[in-house]
Amino acid sequence: MNERKRFLGVNSIKFYNTFSSDEVCYEYISAIKWNDNAYQCKRCGHTNFCKGVRPFSRRCTRCKYDESPTSGTMFDKCKFPLHLAFHIAFKISTKKKGMSSLELSQEYELRQKTCWEFKWKIQQAMQSSKKHLIKGLVHVDEFYIGGEEEGKRGRYKGEKKLVIVALEIVESGVGRAYAQCIEDASSASFRPFFESYISKDARIITDEWRGYIPLKKDFPNLEQVKSDDGKNFKDLHIHIMNLKGWLRGIHHHCTKERLQGYLDEYHFRYNRRSNMETIFDILIKRMVLNNPIRLQSNN
């Protein structure tokens, strides 16, 4: 098996020198898509191929179907040069705070809507695989995205967007974190998040909100303590404040329908903050191996 060449690191000059043309990007995608020559024609299932018309495309020797490296990937039908798509993915994945669609539009001289749509695709690729549950000590809480509503107390949501977050507490400090938009602060809304991200053997600590009580049946190590205005969940509340600050400072506003994408983007970078060497390659690999995504609305 031939080991494909991966781009490692976060050095911008090194990146620009490596991906200076569309052809180099096609080659990179091709190496991921057909790793170890694992080719099968989409039309007839044949496994033999020859060189296609476009750079690094493959043509089936039986039915003559010519398949581009980008076909069937998130780069399919990209509206601008492929090397710019790679540059945008690099910026969003490696910059500590990412980049807004407005910043991307100004830097790459593309329409803001075009940048926003492509960034949305990137955010879909940044979703957690949900294959690695948190098994240790976990702090869980909910918070609102949006301003306070006058005269309302408790878990009343109103026009605000409710989010639940789990933070892994490790000996050296803080480990992984995950967040998900939820409809309300009920156990029914909490349960899918717990089951997707937290092991049933984990020691889970939450505040005394009654919505967590029914979860103790399936998560027996769940404990409830007084929040004391966040003092008993210091790391968790710092994480929430940093997330809110990022949303306000970089993106200013996002709709309820698109908020999950921003939460996924933030935590994709956050959970790889100690291993940034491979973050770009991981993102491109996900974009190649995931199916194409089309925006269905103008939300």
Side-chain angles (χ1 to χ4, degrees), residues 14-38:
K14 176 185 173 183
F15 178 85
Y16 294 152
N17 289 337
T18 302
F19 297 103
S20 57
S21 68
D22 282 359
E23 186 170 341
V24 176
C25 300
Y26 277 115
E27 182 179 13
Y28 201 85
I29 291 175
S30 175
I32 296 172
K33 182 175 180 177
W34 294 307
N35 189 29
D36 197 34
N37 290 329

Side-chain angles (χ1 to χ4, degrees), residues 165-256:
V165 59
L167 191 67
E168 180 183 30
I169 306 300
V170 296
E171 187 174 342
S172 58
V174 176
R176 291 171 292 161
Y178 300 101
Q180 182 173 299
C181 298
I182 53 177
E183 285 299 316
D184 53 50
S186 67
S187 61
S189 291
F190 293 161
R191 186 175 297 279
F193 176 78
F194 271 64
E195 292 177 346
S196 294
Y197 297 105
I198 306 173
S199 168
K200 292 186 177 181
D201 297 325
R203 181 189 171 201
I204 306 165
I205 301 179
T206 72
D207 62 19
E208 295 180 313
W209 175 246
R210 62 181 178 271
Y212 292 107
I213 295 174
L215 297 176
K216 293 181 179 181
K217 180 179 179 181
D218 295 319
F219 295 86
N221 298 321
L222 191 153
E223 305 172 25
Q224 291 185 277
V225 302
K226 286 184 178 294
S227 175
D228 194 16
D229 293 326
K231 294 177 183 177
N232 289 329
F233 299 90
K234 184 179 178 180
D235 290 326
L236 186 58
H237 282 260
I238 290 173
H239 184 82
I240 291 171
M241 286 190 293
N242 288 340
L243 174 54
K244 285 184 173 182
W246 172 73
L247 283 169
R248 285 193 303 266
I250 302 297
H251 303 290
H252 308 298
H253 170 76
C254 62
T255 65
K256 179 181 178 180

Side-chain angles (χ1 to χ4, degrees), residues 4-275:
R4 69 179 179 87
K5 293 181 180 179
R6 300 187 300 161
F7 179 86
L8 302 177
V10 298
N11 185 287
S12 295
I13 296 176
K14 176 185 173 183
F15 178 85
Y16 294 152
N17 289 337
T18 302
F19 297 103
S20 57
S21 68
D22 282 359
E23 186 170 341
V24 176
C25 300
Y26 277 115
E27 182 179 13
Y28 201 85
I29 291 175
S30 175
I32 296 172
K33 182 175 180 177
W34 294 307
N35 189 29
D36 197 34
N37 290 329
Y39 169 83
Q40 185 174 22
C41 177
K42 287 184 176 181
R43 287 189 176 175
C44 70
H46 197 53
T47 56
N48 290 332
F49 65 92
C50 60
K51 184 178 179 181
V53 176
R54 296 170 183 165
F56 299 97
S57 65
R58 297 188 174 188
R59 173 172 289 188
C60 175
T61 56
R62 177 189 288 169
C63 71
K64 310 305 179 185
Y65 174 65
D66 198 318
E67 183 177 343
S68 165
T70 58
S71 176
T73 76
M74 286 188 171
F75 295 100
D76 190 31
K77 295 180 173 60
C78 187
K79 297 179 180 178
F80 46 88
L82 188 58
H83 75 280
L84 292 187
F86 265 51
H87 283 233
I88 290 173
F90 179 77
K91 289 284 190 179
I92 292 176
S93 61
T94 62
K95 287 190 68 173
K96 185 177 181 180
K97 295 184 178 181
M99 288 183 74
S100 69
S101 59
L102 177 60
E103 292 176 300
L104 293 169
S105 172
Q106 293 170 340
E107 178 154 342
Y108 297 107
E109 297 183 340
L110 298 168
R111 293 174 61 227
Q112 183 178 358
K113 186 174 186 294
T114 299
C115 292
W116 183 87
E117 289 176 346
F118 186 70
K119 180 173 179 176
W120 182 80
K121 286 186 179 183
I122 290 174
Q123 289 175 338
Q124 307 316 297
M126 287 177 160
Q127 292 178 23
S128 170
S129 67
K130 301 180 182 179
K131 294 179 180 179
H132 307 288
L133 301 180
I134 301 176
K135 297 181 179 180
L137 175 60
V138 188
H139 288 181
V140 179
D141 198 6
E142 335 93 65
F143 65 97
Y144 295 107
I145 298 294
E148 301 258 345
E149 292 193 29
E150 187 175 357
K152 303 296 182 181
R153 297 177 62 84
R155 260 66 172 185
Y156 175 81
K157 184 172 64 169
E159 296 301 316
K160 297 177 287 185
K161 297 172 280 285
L162 185 59
V163 174
I164 186 170
V165 59
L167 191 67
E168 180 183 30
I169 306 300
V170 296
E171 187 174 342
S172 58
V174 176
R176 291 171 292 161
Y178 300 101
Q180 182 173 299
C181 298
I182 53 177
E183 285 299 316
D184 53 50
S186 67
S187 61
S189 291
F190 293 161
R191 186 175 297 279
F193 176 78
F194 271 64
E195 292 177 346
S196 294
Y197 297 105
I198 306 173
S199 168
K200 292 186 177 181
D201 297 325
R203 181 189 171 201
I204 306 165
I205 301 179
T206 72
D207 62 19
E208 295 180 313
W209 175 246
R210 62 181 178 271
Y212 292 107
I213 295 174
L215 297 176
K216 293 181 179 181
K217 180 179 179 181
D218 295 319
F219 295 86
N221 298 321
L222 191 153
E223 305 172 25
Q224 291 185 277
V225 302
K226 286 184 178 294
S227 175
D228 194 16
D229 293 326
K231 294 177 183 177
N232 289 329
F233 299 90
K234 184 179 178 180
D235 290 326
L236 186 58
H237 282 260
I238 290 173
H239 184 82
I240 291 171
M241 286 190 293
N242 288 340
L243 174 54
K244 285 184 173 182
W246 172 73
L247 283 169
R248 285 193 303 266
I250 302 297
H251 303 290
H252 308 298
H253 170 76
C254 62
T255 65
K256 179 181 178 180
E257 292 76 15
R258 303 304 177 203
L259 176 58
Q260 187 61 52
Y262 291 97
L263 296 176
D264 292 335
E265 177 192 341
Y266 184 88
H267 290 98
F268 180 83
R269 284 192 301 268
Y270 183 86
N271 291 338
R272 291 163 180 78
R273 64 196 184 280
S274 299
N275 190 26

